[in-house]
Amino acid sequence: MSGSTFGNQFKITTWGESHGAAVGVVIDGCPAGLSLSEEDVQKFLNRRRPGTSKYATPRQESDLVEICSGTFEGRTTGTPISMIVRNESQRSKDYSEIASYYRPGHADYTFDAKYGFRDYRGGGRSSGRETIGRVAAGAVASKILAELSVHVFAYTCSIGPIGIDTEHFDLQERDRNVLCMPDAAAFIKASEYLDECMKAGNSSGGMIECRIHGMPAGIGDPVFEKLDANLAKAIMSIGAVKSFEIGSGCQAAAMTGLEHNDAFVMQDQKITKKTNHAGGILGGISDGDEILFKCAIKPTPSVSSLQHTVNQKGENIEISIKGRHDPVIVPRAVVVVESMAAVTLVDMLFSNMSTRMDAVRDFYKR
Amino acid sequence: MSGSTFGNQFKITTWGESHGAAVGVVIDGCPAGLSLSEEDVQKFLNRRRPGTSKYATPRQESDLVEICSGTFEGRTTGTPISMIVRNESQRSKDYSEIASYYRPGHADYTFDAKYGFRDYRGGGRSSGRETIGRVAAGAVASKILAELSVHVFAYTCSIGPIGIDTEHFDLQERDRNVLCMPDAAAFIKASEYLDECMKAGNSSGGMIECRIHGMPAGIGDPVFEKLDANLAKAIMSIGAVKSFEIGSGCQAAAMTGLEHNDAFVMQDQKITKKTNHAGGILGGISDGDEILFKCAIKPTPSVSSLQHTVNQKGENIEISIKGRHDPVIVPRAVVVVESMAAVTLVDMLFSNMSTRMDAVRDFYKR
Amino acid sequence: MSGSTFGNQFKITTWGESHGAAVGVVIDGCPAGLSLSEEDVQKFLNRRRPGTSKYATPRQESDLVEICSGTFEGRTTGTPISMIVRNESQRSKDYSEIASYYRPGHADYTFDAKYGFRDYRGGGRSSGRETIGRVAAGAVASKILAELSVHVFAYTCSIGPIGIDTEHFDLQERDRNVLCMPDAAAFIKASEYLDECMKAGNSSGGMIECRIHGMPAGIGDPVFEKLDANLAKAIMSIGAVKSFEIGSGCQAAAMTGLEHNDAFVMQDQKITKKTNHAGGILGGISDGDEILFKCAIKPTPSVSSLQHTVNQKGENIEISIKGRHDPVIVPRAVVVVESMAAVTLVDMLFSNMSTRMDAVRDFYKR
Amino acid sequence: MSGSTFGNQFKITTWGESHGAAVGVVIDGCPAGLSLSEEDVQKFLNRRRPGTSKYATPRQESDLVEICSGTFEGRTTGTPISMIVRNESQRSKDYSEIASYYRPGHADYTFDAKYGFRDYRGGGRSSGRETIGRVAAGAVASKILAELSVHVFAYTCSIGPIGIDTEHFDLQERDRNVLCMPDAAAFIKASEYLDECMKAGNSSGGMIECRIHGMPAGIGDPVFEKLDANLAKAIMSIGAVKSFEIGSGCQAAAMTGLEHNDAFVMQDQKITKKTNHAGGILGGISDGDEILFKCAIKPTPSVSSLQHTVNQKGENIEISIKGRHDPVIVPRAVVVVESMAAVTLVDMLFSNMSTRMDAVRDFYKR
């Protein structure tokens, strides 16, 4: 089965395992003439790099990207952009123990069930390192969106039971604290909570929210290629994501039509909505309003406390997972969420260009 | 943009508007030799047919399906299966009023923004009638799954604030009441709640849960084609769905690793899990356990109470939507959820067949 | 396997067997706002209709098309266009004989090998009637191309050993004679040749040439999605086609670089080529010149003369195929070639729109 | 536009320019458990490597491949296989001259027309070096086919006017001579012809034939995904290929049905054909016979003799192309043809696995 390619007109293909030689991505369908440098991509990769806080694995990896094709004299050529990041921190430790059993909450068992065997060194293809390719592609997609005045930004909205207070929302603060929380007070509480988790050899989950500004109205398709359906697949395809909500999300279930309907209203000669339960998407198509979605991230399954599981011999055993693990992966996942959203938006903006006959005619009459 | 096709190896293409001549679906990639009759499909369609309860639109449509190709002497031939349902109840009423403004919560505005104009008779392509094609395909997919001992069943787990009590869960009851609730007591409360909504010219949302039994372990892909990511897209592509949750879903965000991890344990020589927060999927791949997901359905946007909106002239107006509308669409959406899940599972089961070299070798050495 | 969909941005899905209830096509990705009527489509279908000449099967089928979705008030809405043609002439004759053996040159044997059994009534899915869906889609694609001043026309350039004389090329003549030959003298010779074939209970092959005018330069992709590679797949996917040649085609093999290279030269301030061995495509991308390709059509395999074959019991037998068959299918295939070329061009024109960053920026800044 | 990915179940994505840092390919959908080493791939790459004969460019490139992912302990893991070849011989010569005009027979002009500018160093993405990725993928595909007892082999059947004599066909001879001709006498004549071409500052075209043994009957699809249609696209997507012929190819046009039909006949209890004008494919589906196709390769457009062309200023000029060019690319293209054929066959074999319900049932009942 081939499942490492995402997108149609703007297509990304990621490759690589956590303990192989390298990881990378090929972007196919990037327009010619976009200014692009390795620095543009490195900035994004640095946001997910490990070893930057006590709440992230202490593994040290510089994660330097090399652009191997698709650019010439600082601009994209329209041909595939291949980007590679070498894997550095591959401890030569003995993996035979971890190879012998199935870690709870990990894909060890399902990989054996699917492929018959697995690269048992670390998470293999299911490792968080797979997201390097997504983020490198997200950096390119975000540059394209910037040219179209579309901006994507995500942040941590909760860690375990600690959520941000929308009244104190401050996006600058997100970049000041290591948990990517746009609320200084919530950050302090969340830090204390995580310290306790770590003391207890435990880990925490959390929630990420993403907002998209500047998306023109009319993007997305009414049936299977709904903009929110594609965002849902993009986000749910990130490891550890357990839910996707657009606009009012789960809360819509308990609401009435009169509560949930967003009344249209004229504002400065433009059609707007009084509220945004729709999350900026109606019938799968963007309505020009802010696009807003949320996702839940499960707690890191690798914890040092004692756990029960089964080994390949089929024996019940007790384990305690050693090694360098994030007590919470939410902060490092924020840029991954932004990246997958950006890739999805670019793909749908490109696919949308042949929607109207008059626009196609104008395009080719130029 | 082309967005009416779903799936790769088992591919469905739906077509049709609410007030056109007909709606339908073409299934491409159905294996040869499956026994299939129009009755098999009609059974599924009848579950979504309107006019069957006071909580559904009183519109009367028989929604009789015709299989136009792809079967011979009661079996599928392996060629495309084209199924058509004629639209009957097309009131020749004057649509000029509804054509002139944008209904809150509907896709009227986004259609105009995307296409420049729209078929203003009813919901057009965004109407619930579009799901007829999905359900007809779901009937075929479910027959394929049955041959593989895989069974999909969904039900209403809440209407507005009224949820089912898992202690009283009774699947037979689901088929006895018009709200598809597997809990007789909850059904009575929900009915009373809906009666009030209707009196108030209002509508209600709700939640649907879906369970899949018999799915073998090892189906799905570790990266973009995760089984849960594809289910998320399939379900979010159904009109009015606002969220998708796999297993623990949103609750995972507030949990710790020790709470969330499902311990593996041997049971009758087989590897099982003590709990199922994973929802039957680990790393995007099925683990052999029950697959469990939930989705939120927004309240019907068409309500008879007074609403504020904007007309095409760009004037703020007040409207009250007449016509035959469902006070709640959750019960009729249950079979649509089952259908999209079934189509997704079949596609992934087929795509999975070339995952192992030894299995491919055995297949062609037969 | 799912193999009845062609194209990416402009996607067609055909369905139907020769002796089922109907045949049809769903077009997904047609822009909104194209004026389209059933007459537009019927005109194309009439060009492939049987029973119009003594060189085509005498079967009488009106092949009337119904557009079931995707248009409103005479224009396309941007949603799928579903078109259906009912099968009329289904003789209730006994097919048991033809069901029992494998006709040479037909797909009877390969269908059984692939699917395990087959709809033995006529050619089933391999029948020429499958092309009705292609031609209906071609009619729509041709209307789109006309809006972009692109014109596709094909014609018979040889029947058996009789070829047209390019010196007497006359496109009007193509539409005056039943063999679609743009050369009156060649038509007469070819008719005599076919008369002999028919007397001998035999059939003839032939060659079709296709020219495309007005294609802008820059369409197509440098690697797998070369414009000529996609045209090759489109044309070779038509039953009975045995070869595809672009520009100089097979002759290129015997030429030298100095003979084959087309010198660029300025003409009225525009870059043109002195010759066109390239056939209007360089490196997979259109060069603005006339696009020219050829394809060979094999002789109709159904002949009334005695043939040797094998039956399902595995016995060597002698057969003589009765029934209503075309002594040559070339003339009826001309419009199918035009249609597949048109569908391919539209798809590539649409896919090309996001090739340049500045063009994408201008498009969304409108 | 994204056009660097080929295949569905077995999907390859190539990337890289002739003068960038590297070229490569990502294979997605290779089954787990296939034994694979860099040597396996290098053997294929060495067959297309330059500098190996006086009839190929003297450029020296070792073209050493690195497998960066998708294998573990000598076997494929089922995850993407990323393979990279660094570009070595990038002469730091001044490209400003070649940058200023359009070389006849090259894609310089169409690249500018499509992308607005181009990487003018060598052929960029249209260079023959792009085929390195195809050949690396072909090596993997061929190993898969070998496991299924399917074998693909191609050879030069003509150079300019010199063709092989089928009576003297000797496959061993193909590997003994630098022109890959399976006929020693033809090789000598062809060498003399090429020597003249080179003396005259000219180049030659030629023809490649490909045969496939061991393909089971029943592979391919009756409509758009015909096995021969996919082979046609795969082969026509190779730069410089001008035609594709299956079986009788162009000759079918001049034949009668009685000449062209391949009579079925029983041989050792198996159904075979007396002749093979079909080329092993009937109705788009393999018939179990040898698959045979041909393609024409145009003469190398880069010749040192004086040519007329146009520069970017729009002036008519005369040029003489310097540098290291192949007088004929046919011999080096042989392995590229084999590779694209192998990739296509694997993809179709995998896609075919869900064709029959009973086979799917057996597969999952294992």
Side-chain angles (χ1 to χ4, degrees):
Chain A
M1 180 187 190
S2 98
S4 292
T5 297
F6 184 85
N8 296 303
Q9 286 294 93
F10 183 80
K11 191 176 275 180
I12 72 171
T13 300
T14 68
W15 55 269
E17 283 80 32
S18 58
H19 289 65
V23 295
V25 65
V26 179
I27 303 174
D28 195 15
C30 182
L34 177 74
S35 127
L36 184 70
S37 70
E38 287 172 345
E39 291 59 42
D40 294 323
V41 179
Q42 199 61 56
K43 266 194 249 118
F44 258 63
L45 288 176
N46 292 346
R47 289 175 59 193
R48 74 160 293 290
R49 207 175 69 231
T52 56
S53 109
K54 68 171 172 173
Y55 302 124
T57 164
R59 242 186 301 104
Q60 288 301 335
E61 310 222 27
S62 50
D63 289 349
L64 294 177
V65 70
E66 175 188 10
I67 298 180
C68 295
S69 69
T71 63
F72 181 55
E73 297 176 341
R75 289 189 300 161
T76 57
T77 59
T79 60
I81 300 168
S82 176
M83 298 188 279
I84 299 181
V85 170
R86 291 277 163 187
N87 289 330
E88 293 165 355
S89 176
Q90 299 162 36
R91 289 205 182 162
S92 59
K93 74 169 170 182
D94 173 19
Y95 285 95
S96 54
E97 186 204 351
I98 176 178
S100 70
Y101 61 74
Y102 298 122
R103 291 169 299 164
H106 279 282
D108 302 341
Y109 172 65
T110 52
F111 261 63
D112 275 5
K114 181 179 183 65
Y115 299 111
F117 76 112
R118 72 184 193 275
D119 179 345
Y120 48 71
R121 302 165 304 164
R125 185 65 177 150
S126 284
S127 157
R129 282 193 74 71
E130 178 269 330
T131 62
I132 285 177
R134 301 180 185 233
V135 172
V140 177
S142 298
K143 284 209 79 174
I144 294 170
L145 291 177
E147 298 265 341
L148 306 177
S149 311
V150 178
H151 300 285
V152 180
F153 58 99
Y155 46 83
T156 303
C157 59
S158 76
I159 300 255
I162 319 296
I164 60 170
D165 177 345
T166 51
E167 311 235 317
H168 302 138
F169 186 90
D170 170 7
L171 194 59
Q172 274 62 41
E173 175 59 26
R174 174 192 75 164
D175 303 325
R176 279 192 296 266
N177 73 62
V178 295
L179 297 180
C180 297
M181 291 183 104
D183 172 348
F187 163 62
I188 291 161
K189 287 207 213 74
S191 306
E192 290 160 359
Y193 176 75
L194 286 176
D195 293 336
E196 287 162 29
C197 286
M198 290 166 80
K199 272 201 227 76
N202 206 346
S203 64
S204 174
M207 207 111 192
I208 293 174
E209 198 161 61
C210 184
R211 296 167 185 269
I212 297 149
H213 289 169
M215 192 68 173
I219 309 304
D221 194 82
V223 186
F224 299 121
E225 300 302 324
K226 286 183 165 73
L227 180 50
D228 39 352
N230 278 312
L231 285 169
K233 177 172 180 174
I235 301 306
M236 291 292 302
S237 79
I238 301 169
V241 174
K242 301 291 292 180
S243 70
F244 177 86
E245 301 177 74
I246 184 77
S248 55
C250 301
Q251 294 169 7
M255 293 169 80
T256 68
L258 288 171
E259 288 166 340
H260 194 271
N261 282 350
D262 302 310
F264 287 107
V265 57
M266 295 306 296
Q267 198 167 54
D268 336 321
Q269 274 80 54
K270 297 197 22 264
I271 293 178
T272 59
K273 321 208 303 300
K274 269 189 193 150
T275 51
N276 189 17
H277 295 117
I281 300 174
L282 279 166
I285 302 168
S286 60
D287 65 13
D289 206 338
E290 174 186 73
I291 293 174
L292 173 68
F293 68 80
K294 276 203 291 290
C295 62
I297 311 280
K298 77 178 187 181
T300 319
S302 293
V303 292
S304 55
S305 296
L306 211 64
Q307 296 188 85
H308 296 274
T309 189
V310 164
N311 64 19
Q312 285 183 313
K313 295 205 211 81
E315 300 160 333
N316 293 316
I317 59 171
E318 285 192 334
I319 60 161
S320 156
I321 296 172
K322 305 272 162 299
R324 308 158 297 172
H325 303 292
D326 304 72
V328 65
I329 58 181
V330 176
R332 292 180 61 196
V334 165
V335 67
V336 183
V337 167
E338 276 183 20
S339 295
M340 289 306 297
V343 166
T344 304
L345 296 174
V346 168
D347 192 38
M348 299 208 77
L349 281 158
F350 289 1
S351 299
N352 177 71
M353 293 176 74
S354 52
T355 300
R356 293 189 192 195
M357 195 62 233
D358 55 2
V360 174
R361 202 186 300 106
D362 295 349
F363 186 92
Y364 281 111
K365 286 286 154 64
R366 287 174 318 157
Chain B
M1 179 186 189
S2 96
S4 292
T5 297
F6 184 85
N8 295 303
Q9 286 293 94
F10 183 79
K11 194 177 271 177
I12 71 171
T13 300
T14 69
W15 56 269
E17 284 81 33
S18 57
H19 288 65
V23 294
V25 64
V26 180
I27 302 174
D28 195 16
C30 182
L34 176 75
S35 126
L36 183 70
S37 70
E38 286 171 345
E39 291 61 39
D40 295 323
V41 179
Q42 198 62 55
K43 265 192 250 118
F44 259 62
L45 289 176
N46 292 346
R47 290 175 58 194
R48 72 161 294 292
R49 207 177 66 229
T52 55
S53 108
K54 69 171 171 174
Y55 302 124
T57 164
R59 243 186 298 106
Q60 288 301 334
E61 310 224 26
S62 52
D63 289 348
L64 293 178
V65 69
E66 175 188 9
I67 298 180
C68 295
S69 69
T71 62
F72 181 55
E73 297 175 345
R75 288 188 301 161
T76 58
T77 59
T79 61
I81 301 168
S82 176
M83 298 189 278
I84 299 181
V85 170
R86 293 277 163 187
N87 289 329
E88 294 165 356
S89 176
Q90 300 161 38
R91 288 203 183 163
S92 59
K93 73 168 169 184
D94 172 19
Y95 284 94
S96 53
E97 187 204 350
I98 175 174
S100 69
Y101 62 75
Y102 298 122
R103 292 169 297 164
H106 279 281
D108 301 341
Y109 172 66
T110 52
F111 261 64
D112 276 4
K114 182 179 182 66
Y115 298 111
F117 76 111
R118 71 183 193 276
D119 179 344
Y120 48 71
R121 303 165 303 165
R125 186 65 176 149
S126 283
S127 155
R129 283 193 73 72
E130 178 270 329
T131 62
I132 285 177
R134 301 180 186 233
V135 172
V140 177
S142 298
K143 284 210 78 175
I144 294 170
L145 291 177
E147 299 265 341
L148 306 176
S149 311
V150 179
H151 300 284
V152 180
F153 58 98
Y155 46 83
T156 303
C157 60
S158 77
I159 299 251
I162 317 296
I164 60 169
D165 177 345
T166 50
E167 310 235 319
H168 301 140
F169 186 90
D170 169 6
L171 194 58
Q172 274 63 43
E173 175 58 26
R174 175 192 76 165
D175 303 325
R176 280 193 295 264
N177 71 63
V178 294
L179 297 180
C180 296
M181 290 183 106
D183 172 348
F187 162 63
I188 291 160
K189 288 207 214 71
S191 306
E192 290 160 358
Y193 176 75
L194 286 176
D195 292 337
E196 288 163 31
C197 287
M198 290 166 79
K199 273 202 227 75
N202 206 345
S203 65
S204 174
M207 206 109 195
I208 293 174
E209 199 161 59
C210 184
R211 296 168 185 268
I212 297 150
H213 289 169
M215 192 67 172
I219 308 304
D221 193 82
V223 185
F224 299 120
E225 301 302 324
K226 286 184 165 74
L227 179 51
D228 39 354
N230 278 313
L231 285 168
K233 177 171 180 173
I235 301 306
M236 291 292 303
S237 79
I238 302 168
V241 174
K242 300 292 292 181
S243 70
F244 177 86
E245 301 177 76
I246 184 77
S248 55
C250 301
Q251 294 170 8
M255 293 168 81
T256 68
L258 289 171
E259 289 167 338
H260 194 272
N261 283 349
D262 303 311
F264 287 107
V265 57
M266 295 306 296
Q267 198 167 54
D268 336 321
Q269 273 79 55
K270 296 200 16 268
I271 293 177
T272 59
K273 318 206 309 297
K274 270 189 192 149
T275 51
N276 190 17
H277 296 116
I281 299 174
L282 279 166
I285 303 167
S286 60
D287 64 14
D289 206 339
E290 174 186 73
I291 293 174
L292 173 68
F293 67 80
K294 278 204 290 288
C295 62
I297 311 279
K298 76 177 187 182
T300 318
S302 293
V303 292
S304 54
S305 296
L306 211 65
Q307 297 188 84
H308 297 273
T309 190
V310 164
N311 64 20
Q312 285 183 314
K313 295 205 210 80
E315 300 160 333
N316 292 317
I317 58 171
E318 284 193 334
I319 61 161
S320 156
I321 297 172
K322 306 270 162 302
R324 309 159 295 172
H325 303 292
D326 304 72
V328 64
I329 58 180
V330 176
R332 292 180 61 199
V334 164
V335 67
V336 183
V337 167
E338 275 183 20
S339 295
M340 288 308 296
V343 166
T344 305
L345 296 175
V346 168
D347 191 39
M348 299 208 78
L349 281 158
F350 289 0
S351 299
N352 177 70
M353 293 176 75
S354 53
T355 299
R356 294 189 192 194
M357 195 63 233
D358 54 2
V360 174
R361 203 186 299 108
D362 295 349
F363 186 92
Y364 282 111
K365 285 287 153 63
R366 289 174 317 157
Chain C
M1 180 184 190
S2 97
S4 291
T5 296
F6 184 84
N8 296 302
Q9 286 293 94
F10 183 80
K11 192 176 275 179
I12 71 171
T13 300
T14 68
W15 55 269
E17 283 80 34
S18 56
H19 288 66
V23 295
V25 64
V26 180
I27 302 174
D28 195 16
C30 181
L34 176 74
S35 124
L36 183 70
S37 69
E38 286 171 345
E39 291 61 40
D40 295 323
V41 179
Q42 199 61 55
K43 265 194 249 116
F44 258 63
L45 288 176
N46 292 346
R47 290 175 59 193
R48 72 161 293 293
R49 207 176 66 231
T52 56
S53 108
K54 68 172 172 174
Y55 301 125
T57 165
R59 242 186 299 106
Q60 287 302 335
E61 310 224 26
S62 51
D63 289 349
L64 293 178
V65 69
E66 175 187 10
I67 298 180
C68 295
S69 70
T71 62
F72 181 54
E73 297 176 343
R75 288 188 302 160
T76 57
T77 59
T79 60
I81 301 168
S82 177
M83 298 188 279
I84 299 182
V85 170
R86 292 276 163 187
N87 289 328
E88 294 165 355
S89 176
Q90 300 162 38
R91 288 207 183 162
S92 59
K93 75 169 171 185
D94 172 21
Y95 284 94
S96 54
E97 185 205 350
I98 176 175
S100 69
Y101 61 75
Y102 298 122
R103 293 169 297 164
H106 279 281
D108 302 341
Y109 172 65
T110 52
F111 261 64
D112 275 5
K114 181 179 184 66
Y115 298 111
F117 76 112
R118 71 183 193 274
D119 179 344
Y120 48 71
R121 303 165 303 164
R125 185 67 176 148
S126 283
S127 156
R129 281 193 74 72
E130 178 269 328
T131 62
I132 285 176
R134 302 179 184 234
V135 172
V140 176
S142 299
K143 284 210 78 176
I144 294 171
L145 291 177
E147 298 266 341
L148 306 177
S149 311
V150 179
H151 299 285
V152 180
F153 58 99
Y155 46 84
T156 302
C157 61
S158 76
I159 299 253
I162 317 295
I164 60 170
D165 177 345
T166 50
E167 311 232 319
H168 302 140
F169 186 90
D170 169 7
L171 194 59
Q172 274 63 43
E173 175 59 26
R174 174 193 75 165
D175 304 325
R176 279 192 295 265
N177 73 63
V178 295
L179 296 179
C180 297
M181 290 184 105
D183 172 347
F187 163 62
I188 291 160
K189 288 207 213 74
S191 307
E192 292 160 358
Y193 176 75
L194 285 176
D195 293 337
E196 289 163 30
C197 286
M198 290 166 80
K199 273 203 228 76
N202 206 343
S203 65
S204 173
M207 207 109 192
I208 292 174
E209 198 161 60
C210 184
R211 296 168 186 269
I212 297 150
H213 289 168
M215 192 67 171
I219 309 304
D221 193 82
V223 185
F224 299 120
E225 300 302 323
K226 287 183 164 75
L227 179 50
D228 39 353
N230 278 312
L231 285 169
K233 177 172 178 172
I235 301 307
M236 290 291 303
S237 79
I238 302 169
V241 174
K242 301 292 291 180
S243 70
F244 177 86
E245 301 177 74
I246 184 76
S248 55
C250 301
Q251 295 170 7
M255 293 169 80
T256 68
L258 288 171
E259 291 166 338
H260 193 272
N261 283 348
D262 302 311
F264 288 107
V265 58
M266 295 306 297
Q267 198 168 53
D268 337 319
Q269 275 78 52
K270 299 210 2 277
I271 293 177
T272 59
K273 318 205 310 298
K274 269 189 191 148
T275 51
N276 189 19
H277 296 115
I281 299 174
L282 279 166
I285 303 167
S286 61
D287 65 12
D289 205 340
E290 174 186 74
I291 293 174
L292 173 68
F293 68 81
K294 276 204 292 286
C295 62
I297 311 279
K298 75 178 188 182
T300 317
S302 293
V303 292
S304 56
S305 296
L306 211 65
Q307 296 188 84
H308 296 274
T309 189
V310 164
N311 64 21
Q312 284 183 313
K313 296 206 209 81
E315 301 161 332
N316 292 316
I317 58 171
E318 284 192 335
I319 60 162
S320 156
I321 296 173
K322 305 272 164 298
R324 310 158 296 170
H325 303 292
D326 304 73
V328 65
I329 59 180
V330 175
R332 291 180 60 198
V334 165
V335 67
V336 182
V337 167
E338 276 183 19
S339 294
M340 288 307 296
V343 166
T344 304
L345 296 174
V346 168
D347 191 39
M348 299 208 78
L349 281 158
F350 289 0
S351 298
N352 177 70
M353 294 177 75
S354 54
T355 299
R356 294 189 193 194
M357 195 62 234
D358 54 2
V360 174
R361 201 186 300 107
D362 295 350
F363 186 92
Y364 281 111
K365 284 288 154 60
R366 289 175 318 158
Chain D
M1 181 187 189
S2 96
S4 292
T5 296
F6 184 84
N8 296 304
Q9 285 294 92
F10 184 80
K11 190 177 276 178
I12 71 171
T13 300
T14 69
W15 56 268
E17 283 81 34
S18 58
H19 288 65
V23 295
V25 65
V26 180
I27 302 174
D28 195 16
C30 181
L34 176 74
S35 124
L36 183 70
S37 69
E38 286 171 346
E39 291 60 41
D40 295 322
V41 179
Q42 198 63 54
K43 265 193 249 118
F44 259 62
L45 288 177
N46 292 346
R47 290 176 58 193
R48 73 160 294 291
R49 207 174 70 232
T52 56
S53 108
K54 68 172 172 174
Y55 302 125
T57 166
R59 242 186 299 104
Q60 288 301 333
E61 309 223 26
S62 51
D63 289 348
L64 293 178
V65 69
E66 175 188 10
I67 298 180
C68 295
S69 69
T71 62
F72 181 56
E73 298 177 341
R75 289 188 301 162
T76 57
T77 58
T79 61
I81 301 168
S82 176
M83 298 188 278
I84 299 181
V85 169
R86 292 275 162 187
N87 288 329
E88 293 164 355
S89 176
Q90 299 162 38
R91 288 205 184 162
S92 59
K93 75 168 171 184
D94 171 21
Y95 285 94
S96 54
E97 187 204 349
I98 175 178
S100 69
Y101 61 74
Y102 298 122
R103 292 169 297 165
H106 279 281
D108 302 340
Y109 171 65
T110 52
F111 261 63
D112 275 5
K114 181 180 184 63
Y115 298 111
F117 76 112
R118 71 183 193 275
D119 178 346
Y120 48 71
R121 302 164 304 163
R125 185 65 175 150
S126 283
S127 156
R129 282 193 74 71
E130 177 270 329
T131 61
I132 285 176
R134 302 179 184 233
V135 172
V140 177
S142 298
K143 283 211 79 175
I144 294 170
L145 291 177
E147 298 266 339
L148 306 176
S149 311
V150 178
H151 300 284
V152 179
F153 57 100
Y155 46 83
T156 302
C157 61
S158 77
I159 299 255
I162 318 296
I164 59 170
D165 178 344
T166 50
E167 309 233 320
H168 301 138
F169 186 89
D170 170 6
L171 194 59
Q172 273 62 42
E173 174 59 25
R174 175 193 75 164
D175 304 325
R176 279 193 295 265
N177 73 62
V178 295
L179 297 180
C180 297
M181 292 183 102
D183 172 347
F187 163 62
I188 290 162
K189 288 208 213 71
S191 306
E192 291 162 358
Y193 176 74
L194 285 176
D195 293 337
E196 288 163 30
C197 286
M198 289 165 79
K199 272 201 228 74
N202 206 346
S203 66
S204 173
M207 207 110 192
I208 293 174
E209 197 161 62
C210 184
R211 295 168 185 269
I212 296 150
H213 289 168
M215 192 67 172
I219 309 302
D221 194 83
V223 186
F224 299 120
E225 301 301 324
K226 286 183 165 74
L227 180 51
D228 39 353
N230 278 312
L231 285 169
K233 177 172 180 173
I235 300 307
M236 290 292 303
S237 79
I238 301 169
V241 173
K242 301 292 292 180
S243 70
F244 177 86
E245 301 178 74
I246 184 75
S248 55
C250 300
Q251 295 170 8
M255 294 168 78
T256 68
L258 289 170
E259 290 166 340
H260 193 272
N261 282 348
D262 302 311
F264 287 107
V265 58
M266 294 307 295
Q267 197 167 55
D268 336 321
Q269 274 79 55
K270 299 207 5 274
I271 293 177
T272 59
K273 320 207 305 300
K274 269 189 191 148
T275 51
N276 190 17
H277 296 116
I281 300 175
L282 278 166
I285 302 168
S286 61
D287 65 12
D289 206 338
E290 174 186 72
I291 293 174
L292 174 68
F293 68 81
K294 275 203 292 287
C295 63
I297 312 280
K298 77 178 187 181
T300 318
S302 292
V303 292
S304 54
S305 296
L306 211 64
Q307 297 187 83
H308 296 274
T309 189
V310 164
N311 64 20
Q312 284 182 315
K313 296 206 209 81
E315 300 160 335
N316 292 316
I317 59 172
E318 284 193 334
I319 61 162
S320 156
I321 295 173
K322 306 271 162 299
R324 309 159 298 172
H325 304 292
D326 304 71
V328 64
I329 57 180
V330 176
R332 291 180 61 198
V334 165
V335 66
V336 182
V337 167
E338 276 183 20
S339 295
M340 288 307 297
V343 165
T344 304
L345 296 175
V346 168
D347 191 39
M348 299 208 77
L349 281 158
F350 288 0
S351 299
N352 178 70
M353 293 177 75
S354 52
T355 300
R356 293 190 192 192
M357 195 62 233
D358 55 2
V360 174
R361 201 185 302 108
D362 296 349
F363 185 92
Y364 280 111
K365 285 288 154 62
R366 288 175 318 159

